[in-house]
Each structure stands twice: as structure tokens, then as C-alpha cells.
Amino acid sequence: MSAGLVAPRPDAGRYRVDMDGGGNVRGELDEELDRLFAARDRDDMAPTIAALQALYEEHPRDARVLYELAGAYDTAGREPTALEFYERAMREGLHGDLRRRCFLQYGSTLRNTGRIADSLAVFAEGRAAFPDSVALGAFEALSLQADGRATAAVASLLSLIADHVDSEDVNRYKPALRGNAEYLATLDRSASSPPQQATPG
């Protein structure tokens, strides 16, 4: 399944509203998901996965259920299954901070399974949606490095420091950090551009 298919389904929002309309189903479901997450054992994810699977059978199109199940499979080392559920969570209209976190986890798992180009595409989409997310930027740099673009990775990290670190030790040098980030980004763009063919003359 293509990593680019992360746009919400046209009816995703309607389904979420329908759930909210039946008493306090949404609130109760979120409380149960929070409880399962807090009780999980990262060294033994089987009980958490089993509990989430039961919720999934009751709510097969709930975006948060899909996302939490993806994360559980991911933690358990079952990345191909996790990727399927991340993609479905995105399509079902995952929103807000959960969507930001899903971009990060989804993109990272794509990288860890060798799908570097798809990982970079997901991080690009995530950073466009959440431009102030330092975590997305940091993990995107890992995918840039995995793509053999260490220069771009360093440029990205320097920009993150200049834009988001407020420290007397750093603030004085922010113009230099931004200048070096731009210089490195220019080097990356030059290295990534296809060579120009000489025209006969």
C-alpha cells in the first residue's frame, strides 16, 4: 500500500460525529484506550494487543483505535502489521496531536523497514501539516541520513536548533546556525540535482 495514501476518507468525519452522538461512547472509549496504554508492558505487548484487537472488532473504523493498535504492533516489532493500521488510522480521519504523532511513528517505521523514500514523503507531509513540531523534524533528519543525505540531515537539525532552542548559549549564534543550515541545504540540493548534459556546439 502506498505511503502517500494518508488523506482522510470523505466520510471519516461523519463516522466520528456519529460515535459522539450515542451517549458518551467517545469519552468511554478514550478512557479505555488511555488505561490500556498506561498499563502496557513494552516487553510483553501480547495482552495489550489482545485488548486493543477486541476494541477494534467493536470499532473497526475508529481512527484512534486503529492508531493505538498500530503503535502496539510497532512496539511488539510487528512493523508490517503496524504500517497497515497507521495507514488506516490516517484515512479514517485521525486529527490533532494524534495525527502528528502518527506521522512520526508511521514515517519512522517506514524507514526502519527500508522504505526510505516513502518515509521521507510521510515526514514531508507531516511537517507541512505541523511545521512547529521539533520531533517530526528530528526524526525526518534520521530518514534523510538513511537516504544518504547526511548534509541535508545536519542542515535540518541546525534549523531546528535555531528556530526552537531558546538558550543564552545558543541565541547569540542563531544567525550563524541559520547561515550554515542554508549553506548545507544548498550543497544537498546541488548534489541531488541531475547533472546537466552538455549541449553540442
Side-chain angles (χ1 to χ4, degrees):
M1 190 172 292
S2 169
L5 298 178
V6 294
R9 294 165 57 112
D11 60 344
R14 179 189 61 78
Y15 179 74
R16 189 167 61 247
V17 171
D18 287 349
M19 282 197 61
D20 289 344
N24 192 31
V25 176
R26 176 76 268 162
E28 292 174 359
L29 183 56
D30 283 337
E31 286 179 6
E32 178 64 6
L33 289 168
D34 290 341
R35 186 189 68 79
L36 290 174
F37 183 83
R40 69 177 182 160
D41 178 357
R42 295 181 67 91
D43 295 324
D44 180 15
M45 291 297 294
T48 300
I49 290 174
L52 288 169
Q53 278 287 165
L55 289 179
Y56 166 64
E57 291 172 7
E58 296 178 20
H59 309 284
R61 288 187 53 195
D62 182 80
R64 186 180 173 193
V65 171
L66 292 166
Y67 163 72
E68 299 291 1
L69 189 52
Y73 278 120
D74 215 352
T75 302
R78 298 170 62 178
E79 288 92 347
T81 303
L83 289 174
E84 176 186 344
F85 281 103
Y86 284 137
E87 289 163 1
R88 290 181 59 188
M90 289 291 203
R91 291 202 303 273
E92 290 298 343
L94 196 67
H95 65 290
D97 194 59
L98 287 174
R99 189 170 181 85
R100 180 194 62 80
R101 287 155 51 187
C102 191
F103 272 122
L104 191 155
Q105 293 169 224
Y106 180 30
S108 296
T109 303
L110 286 167
R111 180 186 65 251
N112 292 339
T113 54
R115 294 170 57 182
I116 307 302
D118 287 339
S119 174
L120 287 170
V122 167
F123 276 117
E125 187 174 351
R127 294 202 70 191
F130 300 95
D132 293 328
S133 173
V134 178
L136 276 171
F139 280 86
E140 180 188 44
L142 291 173
S143 292
L144 288 168
Q145 189 278 330
D147 194 40
R149 298 169 59 192
T151 302
V154 173
S156 178
L157 292 174
L158 290 178
S159 292
L160 284 174
I161 293 171
D163 292 342
H164 297 284
V165 174
D166 184 12
S167 163
E168 183 177 351
D169 185 48
V170 170
N171 291 345
R172 177 176 178 177
Y173 301 104
K174 284 187 174 183
L177 288 171
R178 291 191 174 97
N180 280 284
E182 179 55 36
Y183 171 69
L184 292 174
T186 300
L187 292 181
D188 175 70
R189 288 192 292 269
S190 298
S192 302
S193 300
Q196 297 293 322
Q197 292 185 341
T199 57

